[in-house]
Amino acid sequence: MFGWLKKHQRREILQTPFPAAWREILAEMVTHYSFLNVDEKSHLEQMVQVFIAEKRFEGCNELEITDEIRVVIAAEACILLVGLPHDLYRELMTILVYPSTVVTPPPQVGVFTQSPLLGQQRFAISGQAFKRGPIILIWDAVQRGARHPESGHNVVYHEFAHFLDMRDGVANGTPELHSREQYRIWAQVFSEEFLALRHDAARGKKTFLDPYGAKNEAEFFAVATEYFFDKPVKMQKTHQALYDVLAGFYRQDTAAREQRYRQKCHRK
Ligand SMILES: [Zn+2]
């Protein structure tokens, strides 16, 4: 836990009411926000306020950082933490945001001088996470993910899942879990699901999870996280064991949440 200074600072941050314009951005851009109940919404809004106040957002390649960029990224990052301790991203200071999908980091850009991205290679990425930060996100891809949860792709969930995974030292597809029993079930379920995806992907079979998750265990966890928040109902139906393990880690029942929301809409 952090000390009294941080607690005091956060109390100060939360003295300001959540801006109405930010709430509009959440309602319009962040699909999962609509699924949350009243308490979860206010919890998420508080996390968003603190996240935005504490982290630095840097626009790269002349991208100007707007409230929309800050709020969408902060909200999706914090959705992962709705059932977890709030301060799991404390080592993360900076989020670098690029405008479009293909990035070739120019060597003269200061922010890259200490980054592992330095080099002559050209990169085509939609995001990247480093153990103690920064997290790099491509705004184009973030917007696509926010608007189209049905695609199962969300680069913010993906990169922040990597960040959670790396907190215990290595990116190995297992974040810090809550109990020994959870580690045991995790290893069993994730191994089976990972090998099945690998098997199907190698044979060109259509798979529920994006075959990119077959690359390694870390990517599998990041991809599974995207689906857990984007397509929970379908995940629960088709990959129930995997869904249950993720629900146990994130301490959220995303499928029940989405179903509640859809029933409510249906009744209206
Ligand atoms: Zn990844």
Side-chain angles (χ1 to χ4, degrees):
M1 267 319 270
F2 32 80
W4 47 264
L5 180 60
K6 191 67 132 190
K7 277 189 195 156
H8 173 71
Q9 286 167 338
R10 287 187 175 179
R11 257 199 303 272
E12 297 272 295
I13 293 166
L14 294 172
Q15 291 291 314
T16 317
F18 193 77
W22 289 12
R23 199 166 283 138
E24 272 172 38
I25 296 170
L26 289 175
E28 197 179 310
M29 298 275 300
V30 182
T31 308
H32 207 87
Y33 173 77
S34 316
F35 300 166
L36 303 176
N37 64 30
V38 178
D39 290 345
E40 289 166 336
K41 274 185 182 157
S42 100
H43 178 44
L44 181 73
E45 287 174 0
Q46 291 195 350
M47 288 198 284
V48 166
Q49 264 183 301
V50 169
F51 187 100
I52 288 177
E54 290 182 354
K55 315 290 181 206
R56 200 170 71 236
F57 286 77
E58 245 177 66
C60 304
N61 284 0
E62 293 176 26
L63 179 73
E64 197 193 319
I65 295 292
T66 59
D67 273 3
E68 185 175 284
I69 294 177
R70 282 191 198 94
V71 171
V72 170
I73 292 174
E76 292 188 334
C78 292
I79 280 171
L80 266 52
L81 302 188
V82 164
L84 294 171
H86 184 163
D87 63 332
L88 290 184
Y89 302 138
R90 65 175 170 268
E91 291 91 356
L92 176 71
M93 305 307 294
T94 308
I95 295 125
L96 303 178
V97 191
Y98 280 82
S100 54
T101 306
V102 178
V103 176
T104 306
Q108 72 271 25
V109 174
V111 290
F112 278 110
T113 51
Q114 292 177 335
S115 136
L117 281 182
L118 233 195
Q120 297 309 310
Q121 308 100 307
R122 295 172 70 82
F123 290 88
I125 56 169
S126 55
Q128 198 158 9
F130 298 99
K131 193 172 161 192
R132 297 196 176 275
I135 281 185
I136 299 172
L137 293 166
I138 309 302
W139 180 233
D140 257 4
V142 174
Q143 282 175 298
R144 270 198 308 277
R147 292 216 167 97
H148 299 287
E150 73 285 356
S151 71
H153 292 297
N154 186 301
V155 65
V156 183
Y157 296 154
H158 184 105
E159 299 309 331
F160 279 84
H162 277 320
F163 195 83
L164 292 177
D165 182 7
M166 288 186 282
R167 287 195 80 238
D168 61 357
V170 275
N172 59 1
T174 311
E176 205 173 326
L177 300 175
H178 313 299
S179 71
R180 207 189 269 187
E181 177 62 4
Q182 223 173 19
Y183 277 103
R184 192 186 63 76
I185 299 172
W186 185 283
Q188 187 191 331
V189 171
F190 265 64
S191 303
E192 281 169 17
E193 292 275 357
F194 174 68
L195 292 174
L197 182 65
R198 244 194 185 173
H199 181 269
D200 290 347
R203 280 155 189 79
K205 258 194 180 169
K206 197 170 178 315
T207 52
F208 170 66
L209 293 178
D210 190 305
Y212 185 68
K215 193 177 166 200
N216 57 44
E217 293 142 289
E219 294 305 343
F220 184 83
F221 168 59
V223 167
T225 293
E226 292 178 74
Y227 284 74
F228 179 75
F229 287 95
D230 267 353
K231 302 175 85 162
V233 175
K234 187 138 191 233
M235 184 189 234
Q236 194 184 34
K237 258 189 209 136
T238 57
H239 297 258
Q240 200 187 342
L242 183 61
Y243 176 87
D244 288 346
V245 170
L246 286 166
F249 166 62
Y250 283 111
R251 293 181 164 156
Q252 302 189 54
D253 189 350
T254 48
R257 185 185 281 158
E258 183 177 339
Q259 270 160 334
R260 253 195 321 269
Y261 172 79
R262 303 233 175 269
Q263 277 160 7
K264 216 167 70 192
C265 293
H266 195 67
R267 277 202 302 271
K268 273 182 192 161

Short mmCIF file of all heavy atoms in Angstrom, two decimals, residues 225-260:
data_model
loop_
_atom_site.label_atom_id
_atom_site.label_comp_id
_atom_site.label_asym_id
_atom_site.label_seq_id
_atom_site.Cartn_x
_atom_site.Cartn_y
_atom_site.Cartn_z
N THR A 225 -7.81 -12.02 -22.17
CA THR A 225 -8.35 -10.87 -21.42
C THR A 225 -9.22 -10.00 -22.32
O THR A 225 -10.30 -9.56 -21.92
CB THR A 225 -7.19 -10.03 -20.83
OG1 THR A 225 -6.53 -10.81 -19.83
CG2 THR A 225 -7.70 -8.74 -20.21
N GLU A 226 -8.77 -9.78 -23.56
CA GLU A 226 -9.57 -8.97 -24.49
C GLU A 226 -10.96 -9.58 -24.66
O GLU A 226 -11.97 -8.90 -24.62
CB GLU A 226 -8.90 -8.92 -25.87
CG GLU A 226 -7.60 -8.15 -25.91
CD GLU A 226 -6.99 -8.20 -27.31
OE1 GLU A 226 -7.50 -7.51 -28.20
OE2 GLU A 226 -6.00 -8.94 -27.51
N TYR A 227 -11.01 -10.90 -24.85
CA TYR A 227 -12.29 -11.58 -25.07
C TYR A 227 -13.13 -11.62 -23.80
O TYR A 227 -14.35 -11.56 -23.85
CB TYR A 227 -12.07 -13.00 -25.62
CG TYR A 227 -11.70 -12.99 -27.09
CD1 TYR A 227 -10.43 -12.59 -27.49
CD2 TYR A 227 -12.61 -13.36 -28.06
CE1 TYR A 227 -10.08 -12.57 -28.84
CE2 TYR A 227 -12.26 -13.34 -29.41
CZ TYR A 227 -11.00 -12.95 -29.78
OH TYR A 227 -10.65 -12.90 -31.11
N PHE A 228 -12.47 -11.72 -22.65
CA PHE A 228 -13.17 -11.78 -21.37
C PHE A 228 -13.98 -10.49 -21.14
O PHE A 228 -15.06 -10.52 -20.56
CB PHE A 228 -12.18 -12.00 -20.23
CG PHE A 228 -12.82 -12.04 -18.87
CD1 PHE A 228 -13.55 -13.16 -18.46
CD2 PHE A 228 -12.71 -10.97 -18.00
CE1 PHE A 228 -14.16 -13.19 -17.21
CE2 PHE A 228 -13.31 -10.99 -16.75
CZ PHE A 228 -14.03 -12.11 -16.35
N PHE A 229 -13.45 -9.37 -21.61
CA PHE A 229 -14.17 -8.11 -21.43
C PHE A 229 -15.00 -7.73 -22.65
O PHE A 229 -15.99 -7.01 -22.53
CB PHE A 229 -13.19 -6.98 -21.07
CG PHE A 229 -12.68 -7.10 -19.66
CD1 PHE A 229 -11.46 -7.72 -19.39
CD2 PHE A 229 -13.42 -6.63 -18.59
CE1 PHE A 229 -11.00 -7.87 -18.09
CE2 PHE A 229 -12.98 -6.77 -17.28
CZ PHE A 229 -11.76 -7.38 -17.03
N ASP A 230 -14.61 -8.20 -23.83
CA ASP A 230 -15.31 -7.81 -25.06
C ASP A 230 -16.43 -8.78 -25.45
O ASP A 230 -17.46 -8.37 -25.96
CB ASP A 230 -14.33 -7.73 -26.22
CG ASP A 230 -13.79 -6.32 -26.42
OD1 ASP A 230 -14.27 -5.40 -25.73
OD2 ASP A 230 -12.88 -6.14 -27.25
N LYS A 231 -16.20 -10.06 -25.27
CA LYS A 231 -17.20 -11.06 -25.70
C LYS A 231 -17.42 -12.09 -24.61
O LYS A 231 -17.28 -13.30 -24.83
CB LYS A 231 -16.70 -11.76 -26.98
CG LYS A 231 -16.43 -10.79 -28.13
CD LYS A 231 -15.83 -11.48 -29.32
CE LYS A 231 -16.89 -12.08 -30.17
NZ LYS A 231 -16.46 -12.41 -31.54
N PRO A 232 -17.76 -11.61 -23.40
CA PRO A 232 -17.82 -12.52 -22.26
C PRO A 232 -18.89 -13.60 -22.37
O PRO A 232 -18.67 -14.73 -21.96
CB PRO A 232 -18.08 -11.60 -21.07
CG PRO A 232 -18.64 -10.36 -21.64
CD PRO A 232 -18.06 -10.22 -23.01
N VAL A 233 -20.06 -13.22 -22.93
CA VAL A 233 -21.16 -14.19 -22.96
C VAL A 233 -20.78 -15.36 -23.86
O VAL A 233 -20.94 -16.53 -23.50
CB VAL A 233 -22.46 -13.50 -23.44
CG1 VAL A 233 -23.58 -14.51 -23.59
CG2 VAL A 233 -22.87 -12.41 -22.45
N LYS A 234 -20.20 -15.01 -25.00
CA LYS A 234 -19.80 -16.08 -25.93
C LYS A 234 -18.64 -16.89 -25.34
O LYS A 234 -18.58 -18.11 -25.48
CB LYS A 234 -19.41 -15.44 -27.27
CG LYS A 234 -19.15 -16.45 -28.33
CD LYS A 234 -19.73 -16.05 -29.68
CE LYS A 234 -19.67 -17.24 -30.63
NZ LYS A 234 -19.02 -16.92 -31.90
N MET A 235 -17.73 -16.21 -24.66
CA MET A 235 -16.61 -16.93 -24.07
C MET A 235 -17.10 -17.91 -23.01
O MET A 235 -16.65 -19.05 -22.94
CB MET A 235 -15.61 -15.96 -23.43
CG MET A 235 -14.38 -16.66 -22.89
SD MET A 235 -13.34 -15.55 -21.94
CE MET A 235 -11.79 -15.75 -22.75
N GLN A 236 -18.05 -17.46 -22.20
CA GLN A 236 -18.56 -18.34 -21.16
C GLN A 236 -19.24 -19.58 -21.76
O GLN A 236 -19.13 -20.68 -21.24
CB GLN A 236 -19.55 -17.57 -20.28
CG GLN A 236 -19.87 -18.30 -18.99
CD GLN A 236 -20.91 -17.56 -18.18
OE1 GLN A 236 -21.82 -16.93 -18.73
NE2 GLN A 236 -20.78 -17.61 -16.86
N LYS A 237 -19.92 -19.36 -22.89
CA LYS A 237 -20.60 -20.48 -23.55
C LYS A 237 -19.63 -21.47 -24.17
O LYS A 237 -19.80 -22.67 -24.08
CB LYS A 237 -21.50 -19.92 -24.65
CG LYS A 237 -22.94 -19.88 -24.25
CD LYS A 237 -23.84 -19.53 -25.43
CE LYS A 237 -25.06 -18.81 -24.92
NZ LYS A 237 -25.44 -17.67 -25.70
N THR A 238 -18.59 -20.93 -24.82
CA THR A 238 -17.75 -21.81 -25.62
C THR A 238 -16.47 -22.25 -24.90
O THR A 238 -15.87 -23.25 -25.28
CB THR A 238 -17.35 -21.12 -26.95
OG1 THR A 238 -16.70 -19.89 -26.63
CG2 THR A 238 -18.56 -20.84 -27.81
N HIS A 239 -16.02 -21.47 -23.92
CA HIS A 239 -14.77 -21.78 -23.19
C HIS A 239 -14.99 -21.54 -21.71
O HIS A 239 -14.35 -20.67 -21.11
CB HIS A 239 -13.62 -20.90 -23.70
CG HIS A 239 -13.28 -21.13 -25.13
ND1 HIS A 239 -12.19 -21.88 -25.52
CD2 HIS A 239 -13.88 -20.74 -26.26
CE1 HIS A 239 -12.15 -21.93 -26.84
NE2 HIS A 239 -13.16 -21.24 -27.32
N GLN A 240 -15.90 -22.32 -21.13
CA GLN A 240 -16.33 -21.99 -19.78
C GLN A 240 -15.21 -22.06 -18.74
O GLN A 240 -15.10 -21.19 -17.87
CB GLN A 240 -17.49 -22.87 -19.34
CG GLN A 240 -18.19 -22.18 -18.18
CD GLN A 240 -19.26 -23.00 -17.54
OE1 GLN A 240 -19.75 -23.97 -18.10
NE2 GLN A 240 -19.63 -22.60 -16.34
N ALA A 241 -14.35 -23.06 -18.85
CA ALA A 241 -13.29 -23.19 -17.85
C ALA A 241 -12.37 -21.97 -17.89
O ALA A 241 -11.98 -21.41 -16.85
CB ALA A 241 -12.50 -24.47 -18.11
N LEU A 242 -12.04 -21.54 -19.10
CA LEU A 242 -11.17 -20.37 -19.25
C LEU A 242 -11.86 -19.12 -18.70
O LEU A 242 -11.25 -18.31 -17.99
CB LEU A 242 -10.83 -20.18 -20.74
CG LEU A 242 -9.87 -19.06 -21.10
CD1 LEU A 242 -8.51 -19.26 -20.45
CD2 LEU A 242 -9.72 -18.94 -22.62
N TYR A 243 -13.14 -19.01 -19.02
CA TYR A 243 -13.92 -17.87 -18.51
C TYR A 243 -13.89 -17.85 -16.98
O TYR A 243 -13.64 -16.82 -16.35
CB TYR A 243 -15.37 -17.93 -19.02
CG TYR A 243 -16.21 -16.82 -18.43
CD1 TYR A 243 -16.27 -15.57 -19.05
CD2 TYR A 243 -16.89 -17.00 -17.23
CE1 TYR A 243 -16.99 -14.53 -18.49
CE2 TYR A 243 -17.62 -15.96 -16.65
CZ TYR A 243 -17.67 -14.73 -17.29
OH TYR A 243 -18.37 -13.70 -16.70
N ASP A 244 -14.13 -19.01 -16.37
CA ASP A 244 -14.19 -19.09 -14.90
C ASP A 244 -12.87 -18.71 -14.25
O ASP A 244 -12.82 -18.03 -13.23
CB ASP A 244 -14.59 -20.50 -14.46
CG ASP A 244 -16.05 -20.80 -14.76
OD1 ASP A 244 -16.81 -19.85 -15.04
OD2 ASP A 244 -16.43 -21.99 -14.72
N VAL A 245 -11.78 -19.17 -14.86
CA VAL A 245 -10.46 -18.87 -14.29
C VAL A 245 -10.20 -17.36 -14.37
O VAL A 245 -9.71 -16.75 -13.41
CB VAL A 245 -9.37 -19.66 -15.05
CG1 VAL A 245 -8.00 -19.19 -14.67
CG2 VAL A 245 -9.50 -21.14 -14.75
N LEU A 246 -10.56 -16.76 -15.49
CA LEU A 246 -10.35 -15.31 -15.63
C LEU A 246 -11.27 -14.53 -14.69
O LEU A 246 -10.86 -13.53 -14.09
CB LEU A 246 -10.59 -14.88 -17.08
CG LEU A 246 -9.46 -15.29 -18.04
CD1 LEU A 246 -9.90 -15.14 -19.50
CD2 LEU A 246 -8.20 -14.46 -17.80
N ALA A 247 -12.51 -15.02 -14.54
CA ALA A 247 -13.45 -14.35 -13.63
C ALA A 247 -12.90 -14.42 -12.19
O ALA A 247 -13.04 -13.47 -11.42
CB ALA A 247 -14.82 -14.99 -13.70
N GLY A 248 -12.24 -15.53 -11.86
CA GLY A 248 -11.64 -15.68 -10.53
C GLY A 248 -10.48 -14.73 -10.33
O GLY A 248 -10.28 -14.18 -9.24
N PHE A 249 -9.70 -14.52 -11.37
CA PHE A 249 -8.57 -13.59 -11.24
C PHE A 249 -9.06 -12.14 -11.20
O PHE A 249 -8.72 -11.38 -10.29
CB PHE A 249 -7.56 -13.77 -12.39
CG PHE A 249 -6.60 -12.61 -12.47
CD1 PHE A 249 -5.74 -12.33 -11.41
CD2 PHE A 249 -6.58 -11.77 -13.58
CE1 PHE A 249 -4.88 -11.23 -11.45
CE2 PHE A 249 -5.72 -10.68 -13.62
CZ PHE A 249 -4.86 -10.41 -12.56
N TYR A 250 -9.86 -11.74 -12.20
CA TYR A 250 -10.28 -10.34 -12.28
C TYR A 250 -11.35 -10.00 -11.23
O TYR A 250 -11.66 -8.85 -10.99
CB TYR A 250 -10.79 -10.00 -13.68
CG TYR A 250 -9.67 -9.80 -14.68
CD1 TYR A 250 -9.44 -10.69 -15.72
CD2 TYR A 250 -8.81 -8.70 -14.57
CE1 TYR A 250 -8.41 -10.50 -16.63
CE2 TYR A 250 -7.77 -8.50 -15.47
CZ TYR A 250 -7.57 -9.41 -16.50
OH TYR A 250 -6.54 -9.21 -17.39
N ARG A 251 -11.93 -11.04 -10.62
CA ARG A 251 -13.01 -10.86 -9.65
C ARG A 251 -14.16 -10.04 -10.25
O ARG A 251 -14.66 -9.08 -9.64
CB ARG A 251 -12.48 -10.23 -8.37
CG ARG A 251 -11.56 -11.19 -7.64
CD ARG A 251 -11.02 -10.65 -6.35
NE ARG A 251 -10.46 -11.72 -5.54
CZ ARG A 251 -9.55 -11.56 -4.61
NH1 ARG A 251 -9.10 -10.37 -4.32
NH2 ARG A 251 -9.09 -12.59 -3.93
N GLN A 252 -14.49 -10.41 -11.48
CA GLN A 252 -15.61 -9.78 -12.17
C GLN A 252 -16.34 -10.86 -12.96
O GLN A 252 -15.69 -11.74 -13.52
CB GLN A 252 -15.13 -8.71 -13.16
CG GLN A 252 -14.29 -7.61 -12.55
CD GLN A 252 -14.04 -6.47 -13.54
OE1 GLN A 252 -14.96 -5.90 -14.11
NE2 GLN A 252 -12.78 -6.13 -13.73
N ASP A 253 -17.68 -10.75 -12.97
CA ASP A 253 -18.48 -11.68 -13.78
C ASP A 253 -18.99 -10.89 -14.99
O ASP A 253 -20.12 -10.40 -15.01
CB ASP A 253 -19.62 -12.24 -12.93
CG ASP A 253 -20.35 -13.38 -13.63
OD1 ASP A 253 -20.10 -13.60 -14.84
OD2 ASP A 253 -21.20 -14.02 -12.98
N THR A 254 -18.13 -10.75 -15.98
CA THR A 254 -18.43 -9.88 -17.12
C THR A 254 -19.62 -10.40 -17.93
O THR A 254 -20.38 -9.61 -18.47
CB THR A 254 -17.20 -9.73 -18.02
OG1 THR A 254 -16.65 -11.04 -18.27
CG2 THR A 254 -16.13 -8.87 -17.37
N ALA A 255 -19.78 -11.72 -18.00
CA ALA A 255 -20.88 -12.28 -18.80
C ALA A 255 -22.22 -11.95 -18.14
O ALA A 255 -23.15 -11.49 -18.81
CB ALA A 255 -20.72 -13.79 -18.94
N ALA A 256 -22.31 -12.15 -16.83
CA ALA A 256 -23.56 -11.83 -16.12
C ALA A 256 -23.87 -10.35 -16.27
O ALA A 256 -25.01 -9.94 -16.47
CB ALA A 256 -23.42 -12.18 -14.65
N ARG A 257 -22.82 -9.56 -16.21
CA ARG A 257 -22.98 -8.11 -16.32
C ARG A 257 -23.55 -7.74 -17.69
O ARG A 257 -24.48 -6.96 -17.80
CB ARG A 257 -21.58 -7.50 -16.12
CG ARG A 257 -21.55 -6.01 -16.09
CD ARG A 257 -20.11 -5.56 -16.01
NE ARG A 257 -19.54 -5.66 -14.69
CZ ARG A 257 -18.21 -5.72 -14.47
NH1 ARG A 257 -17.36 -5.74 -15.47
NH2 ARG A 257 -17.76 -5.79 -13.24
N GLU A 258 -22.99 -8.32 -18.73
CA GLU A 258 -23.46 -7.99 -20.08
C GLU A 258 -24.91 -8.48 -20.27
O GLU A 258 -25.74 -7.78 -20.85
CB GLU A 258 -22.54 -8.59 -21.15
CG GLU A 258 -23.00 -8.19 -22.54
CD GLU A 258 -22.11 -8.66 -23.67
OE1 GLU A 258 -20.92 -8.96 -23.43
OE2 GLU A 258 -22.60 -8.73 -24.81
N GLN A 259 -25.18 -9.68 -19.75
CA GLN A 259 -26.54 -10.21 -19.92
C GLN A 259 -27.57 -9.35 -19.20
O GLN A 259 -28.64 -9.09 -19.73
CB GLN A 259 -26.60 -11.65 -19.40
CG GLN A 259 -26.27 -12.63 -20.51
CD GLN A 259 -25.84 -13.98 -19.99
OE1 GLN A 259 -25.34 -14.10 -18.87
NE2 GLN A 259 -26.03 -15.01 -20.78
N ARG A 260 -27.21 -8.91 -17.99
CA ARG A 260 -28.12 -8.02 -17.24
C ARG A 260 -28.43 -6.77 -18.05
O ARG A 260 -29.57 -6.34 -18.17
CB ARG A 260 -27.44 -7.60 -15.92
CG ARG A 260 -28.03 -8.26 -14.70
CD ARG A 260 -27.61 -7.59 -13.40
NE ARG A 260 -26.24 -7.13 -13.37
CZ ARG A 260 -25.20 -7.86 -12.93
NH1 ARG A 260 -25.39 -9.07 -12.48
NH2 ARG A 260 -23.98 -7.35 -12.91
#
